[in-house]
Amino acid sequence: MILGIGTDLANIERIAATLERFGDRFRDRVFTETEQAKAERRADVAGTYAKRWAAKEACSKALGTGLRMGIAWKDMAVRNLDTGQPTMELSGWAAERLAMMTPAGHEPVIHVTLTDDHPWAQAFVLIEARPVAAR
């Protein structure tokens, strides 16, 4: 069953300007160390940050709260599976909210897709509840 969906569109040039203006202050407020390390290794640093920004916005929408009610930027982190597929790792209040949304006998699965076509970066997040298999 679908628990929530969210999407966001971010302007890569706006993120690049924010990185230029605020540097580490912006990076450290919004992105985890792992996200920063991945972005800084990429040829398109601003595009990588923009996609992750959009994913965090989309995730907060899928959680049904937006960026309010105590959710912090770093409570939502984009991770990549070994296949390269993006996923979201939640902590703090975002994880608590996800637990509240998930019906008994189910486990949450967060699906993420990211794309960019300069100057735009887009993310779509779908939160699914799957029945837990009987053990």
Side-chain angles (χ1 to χ4, degrees):
M1 99 182 50
I2 295 173
L3 298 179
I5 58 172
T7 188
D8 192 67
L9 185 66
N11 185 288
I12 296 169
E13 293 171 359
R14 181 175 151 246
I15 297 297
T18 302
L19 288 164
E20 180 70 27
R21 182 172 179 197
F22 297 105
D24 287 343
R25 189 168 136 214
F26 172 65
R27 280 183 201 86
D28 293 342
R29 179 174 168 254
V30 177
F31 302 100
T32 65
E33 288 180 16
T34 302
E35 289 172 314
Q36 290 180 44
K38 183 169 192 79
E40 297 298 327
R41 285 192 309 265
R42 291 287 181 80
D44 183 9
V45 173
T48 302
Y49 279 122
K51 285 187 281 190
R52 278 146 182 75
W53 171 278
K56 291 168 185 266
E57 287 274 8
C59 186
S60 72
K61 294 170 186 174
L63 289 168
T65 62
L67 284 162
R68 58 183 177 86
M69 298 176 61
I71 292 181
W73 286 103
K74 288 171 134 182
D75 286 349
M76 301 166 288
V78 177
R79 298 282 189 256
N80 292 88
L81 302 176
D82 291 339
T83 61
Q85 176 185 349
T87 187
M88 295 295 292
E89 183 178 286
L90 303 185
S91 61
W93 202 90
E96 292 175 25
R97 171 68 179 158
L98 180 60
M100 288 186 283
M101 294 171 60
T102 306
H106 290 74
E107 62 184 351
V109 179
I110 302 174
H111 303 276
V112 179
T113 185
L114 306 172
T115 191
D116 64 288
D117 187 6
H118 196 86
W120 301 106
Q122 184 177 28
F124 185 81
V125 173
L126 183 138
I127 302 174
E128 170 190 12
R130 288 186 187 160
V132 175
R135 296 185 172 140

